Amino acid sequence: MIDINQKRIAMLREGRIWFYEPGLPELLARGLARKRITFTASYPAGLSRARFVFVCVPTPTTSEGTLDDSYLRSAFSNIRQYTNAPRPVIVNKSTVPVGTGDVVAHLFEGEDIHVVSNPEFLAEGRAVEDFFHPSRIVIGSRNRIAGEAVAALYAPLRAPVVHTDPVTAEFSKLAANAFLATKVSFANVLSRIGESVGADGEGVAKALSLDPRIGAGHLRAGLGFGGSCLPKDLAAIEQLARRFTDSSGLFGAVASVNRAQRARVVDLLHERFGAIAGRRVAVLGATFKANTDDLRESPALALACQLAELHADVVVYDPVAAPQLRVVAPALHIARSALAAVRGADVTIVATEWPEFAAIDLAAMRRAMSGSLLVDGRGLFDVASAHRAGLDYFSFSTAGIRDCPAEEQLPAVAS
Ligand code: UGA
């Protein structure tokens, strides 16, 4: 395994990982103990005798919203420089602008190097599980033998394999993430409609999820999607749609629904408190979702920072991301536990669905708070238990229950 960061290589050699990913430290320890994995910062050392080279470098978004492929280009040029005949097959796992595989293949023309696009579909927080049980393997290759050689590497995983060309493989990755983002925004709009007509958002999501054409994933209403993937890929597909179709509005709407979810919480606090300045706000969770310490594009962190800018007294608790939080958001107060965060709070916002939050004793939370408003941004609780604990409850998925209109009003809505 090659990385240009010497510090990380040194950590990996000792079996240490600098980010939170369940199951990964154990997997690394096993690989090291069995001497099946070694680490180097040297391209020549790492590439010697390689038959396949997996390229898994980051492709961040540029300020113009396109994907930055500079790490990728640098990796490819090193592979070109430091490999000899017989040349390895290059397997690209990085999310790249559609068409990159062919552009790179063109760079290597006449050099007997095959570039295969093999997008990664694993999700953070369940990377190990997803890697060993993938829903599909997509292999984009213009060379049949190279494509089949890569497919053979995955044979023990017994996953369905889609053989296609590189452009299709790359586009299928963007399309999958854009669809997931669309599903989340769709669920969020449904929950808002549900709130007005008196439908329980969770019930609607459950009913939808049992239709195999729809499926269960990404239908949870809440603070919206974040992370390094969905927002970035949504922006990339929106650009393509703008360039090649007159339908970019579809993806623009998905992004704007997503932003609106956070704005709703700010509006709610304005409604309740008048001015937000000086209010004590506890934010439980800072990462973009549970089981990761990733703060990139996190709706939870964005909301906490926005409230701090409005001069609220914001106290954040996150089970794993405190060290990173101190670096990226030094203005926020960081608590050591959920209960410490909610002490004296006018309002508690559950912003990330960490399992430990679901186990919180709501009565103890209420006693610790000075106010009574609980904003359940990730649908962890139910209205009845919140009310039993004396909390005033707002949730994106069950707000419909709270504000259920009188029965006689329903026929008018239905017609
Ligand atoms: C996503 C895709 O799920 C992976 O398949 C893909 O490989 C990965 O991007 C990538 O491109 O590398 P990830 O970013 O780890 O994975 O996160 P997701 O689990 O998809 O969640 C994204 C966001 O949507 C989170 O903020 C999450 O809280 C939110 N979400 C998810 C909802 O608001 N509701 C849901 O029902 C599901």
Side-chain angles (χ1 to χ4, degrees):
M1 192 168 180
I2 307 169
D3 197 289
I4 55 173
N5 185 324
Q6 300 265 10
K7 221 167 98 188
R8 289 184 171 177
I9 290 297
M11 285 181 76
L12 289 166
R13 282 181 178 148
E14 292 168 8
R16 291 189 292 136
I17 297 176
W18 57 91
F19 56 93
Y20 182 82
E21 185 60 54
L24 196 54
E26 294 80 0
L27 189 63
L28 173 61
R30 230 172 31 239
L32 286 169
R34 294 181 187 167
K35 299 196 180 351
R36 293 186 61 83
I37 185 163
T38 55
F39 299 93
T40 179
S42 152
Y43 271 102
L47 292 173
S48 77
R49 294 181 302 139
R51 289 177 52 209
F52 297 87
V53 181
F54 281 74
V55 178
C56 318
V57 296
T59 47
T61 310
T62 63
S63 46
E64 292 88 50
T66 53
L67 298 184
D68 171 2
D69 61 2
S70 56
Y71 299 110
L72 198 71
R73 287 181 180 278
S74 150
F76 285 138
S77 93
N78 279 294
I79 294 168
R80 177 187 225 174
Q81 191 176 346
Y82 295 113
T83 57
N84 302 308
R87 297 282 214 171
V89 174
I90 301 180
V91 188
N92 181 46
K93 292 205 81 68
S94 302
T95 302
V96 289
V98 174
T100 301
D102 281 340
V103 172
V104 175
H106 199 66
L107 291 179
F108 291 117
E109 217 160 73
E111 294 187 38
D112 195 26
I113 292 190
H114 298 296
V115 182
V116 173
S117 298
N118 173 217
E120 181 53 64
F121 295 103
L122 62 77
E124 287 180 37
R126 38 177 303 130
V128 175
E129 166 73 16
D130 283 354
F131 180 83
F132 284 112
H133 303 100
S135 52
R136 74 288 203 196
I137 305 282
V138 177
I139 292 178
S141 179
R142 301 252 178 232
N143 180 287
R144 196 178 53 85
I145 296 171
E148 279 172 6
V150 175
L153 295 175
Y154 289 107
L157 301 182
R158 296 173 184 276
V161 178
V162 179
H163 281 282
T164 183
D165 58 82
V167 177
T168 308
E170 288 158 3
F171 194 37
S172 72
K173 167 72 190 199
L174 277 193
N177 276 354
F179 187 72
L180 295 176
T182 306
K183 251 185 130 180
V184 173
S185 281
F186 184 81
N188 281 329
V189 174
L190 288 190
S191 96
R192 288 202 74 166
I193 298 174
E195 200 178 323
S196 302
V197 300
D200 163 23
E202 238 166 69
V204 173
K206 175 130 198 244
L208 287 179
S209 72
L210 292 170
D211 183 334
R213 293 167 304 174
I214 299 175
H218 287 68
L219 279 179
R220 256 185 300 114
L223 265 192
F225 59 82
S228 65
C229 307
L230 264 47
K232 178 183 82 165
D233 289 351
L234 184 68
I237 207 166
E238 192 193 353
Q239 288 234 337
L240 290 175
R242 195 174 306 141
R243 206 164 136 206
F244 299 117
T245 75
D246 53 8
S247 304
S248 62
L250 172 63
F251 302 112
V254 171
S256 93
V257 168
N258 199 46
R259 284 190 298 272
Q261 292 304 98
R262 259 170 272 163
R264 287 189 70 199
V265 177
V266 179
D267 291 347
L268 176 77
L269 300 196
H270 272 303
E271 244 170 61
R272 287 296 167 101
F273 300 126
I276 290 178
R279 290 289 172 178
R280 179 77 181 262
V281 182
V283 177
L284 300 186
T287 53
F288 82 96
K289 65 174 189 177
N291 294 322
T292 175
D293 57 0
D294 198 339
L295 295 169
R296 286 176 291 177
E297 300 282 330
S298 165
L301 180 58
L303 178 61
C305 291
Q306 191 180 349
L307 293 172
E309 286 206 347
L310 294 169
H311 303 289
D313 177 11
V314 182
V315 183
V316 183
Y317 166 69
D318 188 279
V320 301
Q324 292 88 322
L325 260 182
R326 284 193 191 95
V327 177
V328 301
L332 298 175
H333 301 290
I334 300 166
R336 285 175 186 277
S337 70
L339 218 52
V342 304
R343 201 159 292 135
D346 293 300
V347 49
T348 294
I349 302 170
V350 179
T352 308
E353 66 284 11
W354 282 101
E356 73 167 67
F357 299 156
I360 287 176
D361 173 352
L362 291 181
M365 175 192 276
R366 173 67 189 94
R367 282 195 300 276
M369 290 172 63
S370 68
S372 62
L373 178 58
L374 170 62
V375 177
D376 184 359
R378 294 296 178 183
L380 292 191
F381 304 104
D382 62 86
V383 65
S385 17
H387 283 176
R388 263 198 311 276
L391 288 157
D392 190 6
Y393 185 68
F394 173 88
S395 150
F396 291 102
S397 53
T398 53
I401 294 175
R402 192 194 51 167
D403 297 329
C404 186
E407 230 168 68
E408 62 273 18
Q409 292 175 323
L410 289 176
V413 176
S415 68

